[in-house]
Amino acid sequence: MDLAEWRAECQALGVPVYRAGQIWHGLQDRMIGSWDELTILPAALRRALAEKFDVAALTVAEVREAADGVRKLLLACRDGELIESVLIPAKDRWTLCVSSQAGCAFGCAFCASGKAGLARNLVAGEIVGQVVLAAKWLRENGSADVAAGLLRPQNIVVMGMGEPFANYDEVLKALHILNAPDGLNIGARHITISTCGVVQGIRRLAEEGVQFELSVSLHAPSDALRTRLMPVNQRWPLVRLLEACRDYTEATNRIITFEYTLVRGVNDQPEHAQRLIELLRGWKCRVNLIPLSPVAEFAGEAPDERTCEAFCDALESARISTTLRRSRGGQTNAACGQLRLRRRGKVISQ
Ligand code: SAH
């Protein structure tokens, strides 16, 4: 709940509205694990809150650390659903990758999140809760780290499990809570939503007047290939997707980042780069190339470094601003949805 909703709740409970600020502070800054920890509140109010609101809606089921400092958190929801968040360190900051759904309905060929289908949408509290739990985990475990002193995530990317625009309202609500100046205060430009190409979501976001960053997963420069990799392309083919992206850029004046996962021999050849250039030439946008993170469920591999660099160079020489990202956290099953799938596999086979 946001602060306004807590105020309304206090009124409904018949307690002074300043209690809302204390509750908000307890949840966002002190990161209480139970209402009893919030001793500033009268015991009767704590009891009333405990009856109605679950502060421990998520618990940490497992943490895996990779050699490159990436921490993958497997979190359990109250109903037993498992979701994943990934903490990614850089020199002076932490990025947290959060999930927007348990599972995913979109079934991209190379993505582990979609392999078991969609279980359910997450509620805003479960999305904000991932950030609070990660910050709490960093406070307790991360002191000697790369980002020492900065013991909470500074960047949020909604690139974990699920399709954020298939859960639009709860995701936007969560991002507004994370962005609130009197809360976690994560800057809008440090918050990125990534979509597989849900056109209606792109169009809705364009109308919001918010400063969040938008990434669009493209992965292929032709309809035939994109449909093979991403079934969503049947519903919203490239012309419609790119039209929505252009309208978004025009309406918001914001730059879209196109994600392009490179798969050896599938979409990494010079002719693919050429087609991509034709699609994007002269447009203010960015391309982020990501070599495939191998997953057992997909028989594809990452291209070698030279191929990745050649692809990157081709785009750059056409003046398309491009970054080539090394995949991280590989040893921890850090590709989307992998840890959850492993865990489910274990549970099912037991
Ligand atoms: N549903 C959203 C956000 C989650 S996926 C979306 O599709 O954008 C975040 C990004 O990781 C997407 O670009 C997705 O295509 C990519 N991805 C998924 N599995 C991957 C893998 N095995 N290797 C590399 N990138 C992958």
Side-chain angles (χ1 to χ4, degrees):
M1 279 160 58
D2 59 30
L3 190 52
E5 287 172 307
W6 278 117
R7 288 204 184 101
E9 187 60 36
C10 285
Q11 270 171 333
L13 287 168
V15 299
V17 282
Y18 71 83
R19 295 289 184 200
Q22 294 173 330
I23 292 169
W24 178 257
H25 173 75
L27 294 170
Q28 304 260 336
D29 291 333
R30 288 198 36 214
M31 302 173 185
I32 53 165
S34 86
W35 289 110
D36 278 335
E37 291 173 37
L38 205 54
T39 47
I40 195 167
L41 302 181
L45 177 55
R46 275 183 269 147
R47 270 196 305 276
L49 289 168
E51 262 171 40
K52 209 164 163 193
F53 300 104
D54 194 358
V55 263
L58 296 175
T59 48
V60 179
E62 186 178 334
V63 179
R64 294 221 190 161
E65 302 194 13
D68 59 6
V70 167
R71 265 70 158 190
K72 182 139 191 175
L73 277 62
L74 185 72
L75 307 174
C77 301
R78 273 286 189 225
D79 63 356
E81 277 304 330
L82 294 169
I83 57 171
E84 300 179 13
S85 308
V86 185
L87 267 166
I88 305 153
K91 229 184 282 159
D92 56 351
R93 71 199 131 88
W94 286 96
T95 295
L96 183 72
C97 178
V98 297
S99 295
S100 55
Q101 300 181 302
C104 183
F106 285 81
C108 297
F110 44 78
C111 178
S113 295
K115 297 300 170 193
L118 174 69
R120 66 170 172 84
N121 281 335
L122 300 184
V123 295
E126 288 168 321
I127 299 167
V128 175
Q130 293 173 64
V131 182
V132 171
L133 265 197
K136 207 169 175 178
W137 189 84
L138 278 177
R139 265 189 205 177
E140 286 159 12
N141 303 279
S143 54
D145 243 296
V146 204
L150 292 170
L151 295 179
R152 67 182 191 87
Q154 283 80 39
N155 293 311
I156 303 296
V157 294
V158 190
M159 292 188 185
M161 195 184 293
E163 167 50 45
F165 287 158
N167 185 20
Y168 190 97
D169 292 333
E170 294 297 310
V171 167
L172 264 286
K173 180 174 181 194
L175 299 187
H176 282 298
I177 291 174
L178 295 172
N179 179 227
D182 48 5
L184 285 162
N185 194 19
I186 298 170
R189 288 173 184 200
H190 295 267
I191 297 177
T192 302
I193 307 172
S194 179
T195 179
C196 65
V198 175
V199 160
Q200 65 204 26
I202 298 172
R203 295 206 174 278
R204 244 182 112 178
L205 191 69
E207 311 266 292
E208 299 274 354
V210 290
Q211 305 277 312
F212 303 131
E213 299 289 333
L214 178 63
S215 278
V216 174
S217 300
L218 203 55
H219 304 325
S222 71
D223 279 319
L225 186 53
R226 192 162 188 271
T227 298
R228 228 175 87 202
L229 295 174
M230 306 177 75
V232 67
N233 194 68
Q234 279 168 307
R235 172 108 190 255
W236 292 292
L238 281 170
V239 269
R240 290 200 52 204
L241 174 59
L242 294 176
E243 183 189 39
C245 291
R246 280 179 201 274
D247 291 347
Y248 176 91
T249 313
E250 209 162 285
T252 62
N253 224 353
R254 306 196 58 76
I255 293 177
I256 291 181
T257 301
F258 290 105
E259 308 280 334
Y260 194 102
T261 294
L262 290 162
V263 188
R264 175 181 297 183
V266 174
N267 64 358
D268 65 340
Q269 295 301 300
E271 68 258 27
H272 300 118
Q274 217 40 56
R275 289 227 42 185
L276 189 57
I277 290 166
E278 283 158 29
L279 291 181
L280 303 181
R281 201 197 291 278
W283 186 5
K284 263 177 83 182
C285 65
R286 274 188 294 262
V287 173
N288 192 9
L289 300 170
I290 314 143
L292 178 80
S293 205
V295 292
E297 298 76 18
F298 176 64
E301 290 167 35
D304 58 41
E305 221 161 299
R306 270 185 55 194
T307 309
C308 295
E309 276 161 17
F311 200 98
C312 184
D313 290 345
L315 297 185
E316 286 267 292
S317 14
R319 294 169 187 274
I320 296 170
S321 161
T322 310
T323 48
L324 173 60
R325 194 169 77 195
R326 277 281 126 209
S327 166
R328 309 194 45 192
Q331 319 95 298
T332 59
N333 281 332
C336 292
Q338 276 187 296
L339 205 54
R340 172 177 183 262
L341 215 53
R342 293 295 95 74
R343 200 38 114 78
R344 280 172 66 109
K346 243 193 272 170
V347 173
I348 290 162
S349 63
Q350 265 168 5

